[in-house]
Amino acid sequence: MPKLKLSDFEQKKLIARVTIKKRMELKQIRNPEVARRLSTPERTLKYRWQYPETLRLGDLWGLVSTLGLSDQEILQIVRGKEYV
């Protein structure tokens, strides 16, 4: 059976998840620590990782300061495109 191409929406969700998780790995920060810094329950944070379209602007601002996201990474999350 042929492999199906991801829809644009699914690709954007994947890029957002990967970008955030990659930065968390680089900074050696786990979900509980990010949740504490964002003042969000860990369960809510896990839901927002699974469905990145539910991230709020306040969450994004918190992630920028907590994880030290670069401008390029912010664009990847918002636009859903990879920038090299």
Side-chain angles (χ1 to χ4, degrees):
M1 181 160 250
K3 188 173 183 180
L4 297 177
K5 183 180 175 188
L6 293 175
S7 69
D8 285 340
F9 185 69
E10 289 294 322
Q11 186 174 0
K12 287 178 182 184
K13 286 172 52 174
L14 180 65
I15 289 172
R17 270 195 307 263
V18 167
T19 303
I20 293 169
K21 290 293 185 180
K22 177 183 73 171
R23 180 53 77 158
M24 284 176 62
E25 227 176 273
L26 287 173
K27 291 281 191 169
Q28 295 291 311
I29 298 176
R30 305 259 183 244
N31 281 343
E33 178 67 18
V34 174
R36 186 182 64 76
R37 290 186 185 185
L38 295 178
S39 302
T40 305
E42 189 176 352
R43 186 172 179 186
T44 302
L45 189 64
K46 285 182 182 180
Y47 179 82
R48 291 184 179 158
W49 287 163
Q50 189 175 4
Y51 302 100
E53 67 273 15
T54 63
L55 278 173
R56 297 179 179 172
L57 189 54
D59 297 332
L60 188 57
W61 290 337
L63 287 172
V64 168
S65 63
T66 301
L67 300 177
L69 293 171
S70 68
D71 291 344
Q72 181 180 357
E73 291 169 325
I74 295 167
L75 280 174
Q76 281 180 319
I77 293 169
V78 174
R79 287 197 156 174
K81 295 180 183 176
E82 288 192 68
Y83 294 96
V84 179

